[in-house]
């Protein structure tokens, strides 16, 4: 992974291959998400996975609750261009079938596949196919909670238990000669998530998939995830990112990239600046910005071309042109029209209804 602009000292991790993709080592920090469709509904899952791919998602995970879902994986994988991750709980046979269907990575929870012999079967299948395993530890489903459902633990006790269970599973996999492992340690709050990841990182070189689990609604979850993931990244921790939001997974991808972009770790589309509007505004800045985002973030070509561009959408001619000066190009509103500005120069006047198309044309013709 590359270092964060704030601290710049990335943790050294082993490199794990996921299809033609890799996590850890010197790989860029990747962005992943999970479909919320019924995996047995191949069309719906493929449609969503493709939307995620168009938005820049680099690995897509799907739930595999039963054999029918496992058997659907081959058709899903054949219809998408990014690695497919199978999320498995309890049944080792689902993991083996997922690998047989061409899944690029398997996610399991510590202990919930059962006895060592069952884990051995999963490892055997993964090893033969070159498929890595993510050990996903969630605070809410720790094995220790089965014996003690209401522990009086402080955050550091939770973190220690999470790390203990993650390391236990890593040790089990390694004892079976398997090293292609990624670990995640997630809680629904920042304190336990950050503590657990920091503690794990002191004890292992296994790459970390980071995120705050069940982070919440779009606004609350994005704030919580940005802080949690941001704190980890600023300490050099994290090899792949998933933002969990109760929201369209495409928004999870966008939020993850915005976090990485804000820390100078990845580039992703333009820097789209817009004013908050006030009583001087006589155009619909919000609508223009939403339409622009929709167009840019669903088109890989536009996303790529607009990378690193600063585009301004301002509401009025009083402050707009001044504030748009530092942008590569943009528009400052009047009444139903606006001044088109490039590198601080006022070029022309265009109708409000043409703003979005003009920005898109400009991006397309730019490189
Ligand atoms: S750019 Fe104009 S409309 Fe927008 S907030 Fe500033 S003064 Fe108000």
């Amino acid at each position: 992974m590359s270092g964060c602009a704030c601290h710049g000292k990335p943790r050294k991790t082993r490199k794990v291959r996921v299809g033609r993709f890799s996590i850890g080592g010197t790989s860029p920090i990747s962005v992943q998400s999970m479909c919320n469709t019924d995996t047995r509904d191949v069309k719906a899952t493929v449609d969503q996975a493709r939307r995620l791919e168009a938005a820049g998602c680099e690995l897509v995970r799907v739930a595999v609750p039963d054999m029918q879902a496992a058997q659907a994986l081959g058709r899903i994988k054949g219809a998408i261009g990014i690695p497919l991750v199978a999320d498995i709980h309890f049944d080792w046979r689902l993991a083996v079938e997922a690998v047989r269907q061409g899944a690029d990575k398997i996610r399991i929870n510590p202990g919930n596949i059962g006895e060592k012999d069952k884990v051995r079967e999963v490892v055997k299948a993964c090893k033969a196919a070159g498929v890595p395993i993510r050990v996903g530890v969630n605070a809410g489903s720790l094995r220790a909670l089965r014996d003690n459902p209401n522990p009086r633990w402080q955050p550091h006790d939770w973190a220690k238990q999470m790390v203990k269970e993650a390391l236990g599973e890593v040790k089990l996999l390694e004892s079976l000669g398997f090293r292609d492992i990624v670990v995640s340690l997630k809680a629904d709050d920042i304190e336990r998530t950050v503590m657990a990841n920091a503690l794990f990182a002191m004890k292992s070189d296994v790459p970390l998939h980071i995120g705050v689990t069940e982070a919440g609604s779009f606004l609350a979850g994005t704030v919580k995830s940005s802080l949690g993931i941001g704190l980890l990244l600023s300490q050099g921790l994290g090899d792949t990112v998933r933002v969990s939001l109760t929201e369209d997974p495409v928004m999870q991808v966008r939020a993850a990239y915005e976090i990485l972009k804000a820390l100078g770790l990845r580039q992703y589309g333009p820097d789209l600046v817009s004013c908050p509007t006030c009583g001087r505004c006589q155009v619909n800045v919000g609508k223009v910005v939403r339409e622009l985002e929709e167009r840019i973030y669903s088109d890989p070509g536009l996303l790529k071309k607009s990378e690193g561009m600063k585009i301004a959408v301002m509401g009025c001619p009083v402050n707009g042109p001044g504030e748009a000066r530092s942008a590569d190009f943009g528009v400052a509103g009047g009444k139903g029209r606006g001044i088109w500005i490039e590198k601080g120069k006022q070029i022309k006047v265009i109708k409000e209804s043409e703003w979005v198309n003009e920005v898109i044309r400009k991006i397309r013709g730019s490189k």
Side-chain angles (χ1 to χ4, degrees):
M1 61 170 272
S2 3
C4 165
C6 314
H7 290 256
K9 185 109 179 63
R11 164 185 172 243
K12 272 199 180 134
T13 55
R14 69 177 77 155
K15 187 171 181 167
V16 172
R17 295 218 66 84
V18 187
R20 52 185 165 73
F21 197 77
S22 61
I23 296 175
T26 53
S27 323
I29 300 167
S30 50
V31 168
Q32 53 178 293
S33 188
M34 184 168 184
C35 287
N36 58 10
T37 49
D38 182 338
T39 307
R40 293 164 296 195
D41 184 342
V42 172
K43 186 184 176 312
T45 306
V46 166
D47 285 351
Q48 192 175 65
R50 283 182 175 163
R51 283 180 57 234
L52 287 165
E53 191 177 343
C57 182
E58 292 167 313
L59 285 105
V60 64
R61 182 159 46 115
V62 294
V64 182
D66 58 25
M67 196 48 87
Q68 207 188 329
Q71 286 164 348
L73 297 180
R75 282 170 286 153
I76 296 168
K77 172 151 163 94
I80 62 173
I82 48 177
L84 181 66
V85 185
D87 195 276
I88 312 279
H89 291 274
F90 309 119
D91 191 341
W92 64 275
R93 286 163 299 197
L94 299 180
V96 172
E97 179 60 21
V99 173
R100 208 179 69 79
Q101 290 283 336
D104 296 289
K105 184 173 162 214
I106 300 293
R107 179 265 164 110
I108 57 171
N109 272 24
N112 84 1
I113 290 292
E115 306 91 72
K116 191 169 177 178
D117 276 353
K118 295 176 180 168
V119 178
R120 192 193 309 275
E121 290 303 316
V122 176
V123 163
K124 205 162 86 185
C126 288
K127 221 187 211 174
V131 167
I133 294 175
R134 167 160 69 99
V135 174
V137 177
N138 280 1
S141 49
L142 286 173
R143 295 171 86 181
L145 293 179
R146 284 183 228 156
D147 306 326
N148 183 11
N150 297 305
R152 293 202 178 151
W153 289 341
Q154 296 300 311
H156 68 270
D157 300 313
W158 282 93
K160 272 193 340 211
Q161 188 60 37
M162 289 162 74
V163 171
K164 187 176 166 195
E165 296 195 13
L167 288 173
E169 194 74 9
V170 169
K171 202 169 155 203
L172 170 62
L173 296 175
E174 289 184 342
S175 76
L176 296 167
F178 191 80
R179 282 181 55 81
D180 294 333
I181 308 164
V182 176
V183 158
S184 62
L185 301 118
K186 300 184 184 180
D188 60 9
D189 61 275
I190 295 169
E191 196 176 12
R192 289 182 299 170
T193 303
V194 171
M195 263 188 202
N197 280 277
L199 189 57
F200 182 85
M202 287 194 275
K203 297 174 186 254
S204 172
D205 72 338
V206 168
L208 281 168
H209 159 132
I210 58 170
V212 180
T213 196
E214 293 134 21
S217 65
F218 181 64
L219 179 61
T222 302
V223 170
K224 207 196 265 186
S225 296
S226 305
L227 285 167
I229 292 170
L231 278 167
L232 287 169
L233 292 171
S234 68
Q235 293 174 38
L237 305 180
D239 300 275
T240 180
V241 172
R242 194 261 170 124
V243 172
S244 304
L245 300 171
T246 313
E247 187 45 78
D248 180 350
V250 167
M251 299 308 282
Q252 304 180 7
V253 170
R254 288 193 37 202
Y257 273 110
E258 291 301 336
I259 295 169
L260 293 171
K261 193 161 89 173
L263 290 168
L265 293 167
R266 293 288 300 265
Q267 288 206 321
Y268 181 65
D271 183 9
L272 191 55
V273 294
S274 56
C275 80
T277 76
C278 69
R280 292 187 191 92
C281 186
Q282 296 188 68
V283 284
N284 194 338
V285 173
K287 182 167 171 269
V288 169
V289 170
R290 277 192 298 278
E291 276 180 30
L292 269 178
E293 286 197 332
E294 227 161 79
R295 297 270 295 268
I296 295 169
Y297 290 98
S298 61
D299 181 333
L302 285 175
L303 253 182
K304 187 85 201 133
K305 278 203 153 187
S306 61
E307 222 161 62
M309 282 180 182
K310 189 166 178 182
I311 304 168
V313 180
M314 307 309 247
C316 81
V318 177
N319 289 334
E323 288 168 19
R325 200 172 292 142
S326 65
D328 292 301
F329 54 90
V331 67
K335 193 171 180 181
R337 54 193 63 240
I339 306 163
W340 181 260
I341 300 159
E342 287 181 23
K343 304 262 182 219
K345 277 203 184 127
Q346 300 188 14
I347 305 290
K348 57 186 172 184
V349 172
I350 51 172
K351 279 201 271 178
E352 184 182 354
S353 57
E354 270 306 299
W355 289 10
V356 171
N357 288 335
E358 187 68 17
V359 170
I360 300 294
R361 266 196 294 274
K362 188 72 193 162
I363 295 172
R364 287 217 165 96
S366 62
K367 285 177 195 163

